[in-house]
């Protein structure tokens, strides 16, 4: 009976020589050898370009909004004297219209600001994760890498300035809304065409809180307000990674 292993041996009982297989040449054009992704620093620069493209019309929106026109001025004398409110609209109908304008302007700013905030978060997250003094590029010289790093840091600081400017405008509008609500309350149950119910005032306040606190858009704009220390660091073009790590941790909580 033939053995199951006969084909592995010669008649003499020795192993057959393995068949010579000519190795196939490596096709370096194969997709698996192609670099399809971008280097991390290049990806950051792309994110920066996205932000800049959206930021230009956004900055023009801030100009047109003229939030400063609605700023509630409070001086030391206001705590001792009853001064006339320069924003007083004189009637309930006018106050309603004024309030609606403030709501519209607030919404017009916070909606695109949310989008910019997301791009800013992605940029900071990737920069902190991938870029340090030992960052190496296959395609670029050390000099070009250093230049790109400086460009990225400069633009990250510009992003913070733009978001801070927007936060200032929103803060002014938020205070203007609460100030208008105070004036609306003076019309509660006075009768006639200038009459407003206490219930309506409460509902207006509730809706305003939802809008300005970030509940409605799942976005806390107030995070982007810049203190004096931040202003100094940004003005000097500083990027302290440890400090920015703390900033990133807080920034991640702004959304949702």
């Amino acid at each position: 009976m033939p053995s199951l292993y006969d084909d592995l041996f010669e008649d003499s009982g020795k192993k057959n020589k393995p068949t010579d297989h000519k190795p196939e040449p490596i096709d370096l054009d194969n997709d698996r050898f192609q670099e399809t992704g971008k280097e991390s620093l290049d990806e950051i620069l792309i994110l920066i370009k996205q932000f800049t493209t959206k930021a230009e019309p956004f900055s023009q929106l801030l100009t047109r909004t003229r939030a400063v026109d609605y700023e509630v001025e409070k001086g030391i004398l206001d705590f001792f004297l009853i001064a006339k409110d320069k924003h007083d609209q004189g009637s309930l109908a006018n106050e309603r219209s004024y309030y609606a304008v403030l709501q519209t302007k607030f919404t017009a700013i916070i909606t695109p600001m949310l989008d910019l905030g997301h791009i800013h978060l992605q940029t900071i997250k990737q920069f902190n994760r991938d870029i340090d003094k030992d960052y190496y590029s296959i395609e670029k010289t050390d000099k070009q890498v250093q230049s790109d790093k400086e460009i990225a840091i400069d633009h990250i600081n510009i992003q913070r300035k733009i978001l801070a400017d927007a936060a200032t405008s929103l803060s002014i509008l938020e205070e203007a809304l609460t100030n208008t609500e105070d004036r609306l309350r003076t019309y509660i149950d006075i009768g006639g065409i200038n009459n407003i119910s206490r219930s309506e005032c409460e509902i207006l306040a509730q809706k305003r809180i939802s809008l300005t606190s970030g509940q409605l858009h799942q976005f806390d704009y107030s995070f982007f307000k810049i203190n004096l220390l931040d202003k100094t660091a940004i003005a000097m073009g500083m990027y302290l990674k440890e400090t920015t790590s703390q900033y990133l941790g807080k920034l991640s909580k702004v959304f949702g």
Side-chain angles (χ1 to χ4, degrees), residues 87-238:
H87 299 294
D88 192 328
Q89 301 301 301
S91 71
L92 178 62
N94 289 342
E95 292 291 3
R96 286 184 187 278
S97 297
Y98 187 78
Y99 193 78
V101 167
L102 294 172
Q103 287 176 314
T104 300
K105 287 178 180 286
F106 191 99
T107 303
I109 292 174
I110 199 170
T111 303
M113 184 183 177
L114 172 60
D115 190 22
L116 290 174
H118 276 298
I119 299 174
H120 179 64
L121 172 61
Q122 287 179 269
T123 306
I124 293 284
K125 187 181 291 185
Q126 187 159 353
F127 192 97
N128 261 41
R129 184 190 66 210
D130 298 338
I131 310 301
D132 56 24
K133 62 183 180 65
D134 297 321
Y135 177 82
Y136 176 77
S137 170
I138 297 175
E139 301 175 349
K140 298 178 181 179
T141 64
D142 291 346
K143 184 177 180 180
Q144 182 62 52
V145 167
Q146 184 59 32
S147 175
D148 285 349
K149 281 184 184 179
E150 291 172 0
I151 289 171
I153 290 171
D154 184 48
H155 277 272
I156 286 171
N157 284 332
I158 290 173
Q159 289 179 7
R160 291 191 66 183
K161 288 179 183 178
I162 292 170
L163 292 167
D165 189 28
T168 298
S169 291
L170 290 177
S171 182
I172 290 172
L173 293 171
E174 179 178 357
E175 189 171 10
L177 282 165
T178 58
N179 193 50
T180 306
E181 287 170 12
D182 290 340
R183 294 196 303 272
L184 285 169
R185 289 189 183 94
T186 64
Y187 294 99
I188 291 177
D189 295 337
I190 67 170
I193 60 172
N194 284 320
N195 186 71
I196 187 172
S197 69
R198 189 176 303 278
S199 297
E200 185 178 358
C201 282
E202 291 303 319
I203 289 174
L204 286 173
Q206 187 179 49
K207 290 174 68 176
R208 185 259 308 159
I209 291 171
S210 177
L211 174 65
T212 60
S213 68
Q215 295 174 13
L216 187 61
H217 294 87
Q218 296 295 293
F219 177 59
D220 180 12
Y221 82 86
S222 64
F223 169 80
F224 293 101
K225 295 178 183 177
I226 294 182
N227 58 36
L228 184 59
L229 183 61
D230 289 332
K231 286 181 180 179
T232 303
I234 290 173
M236 296 176 65
M238 296 170 62

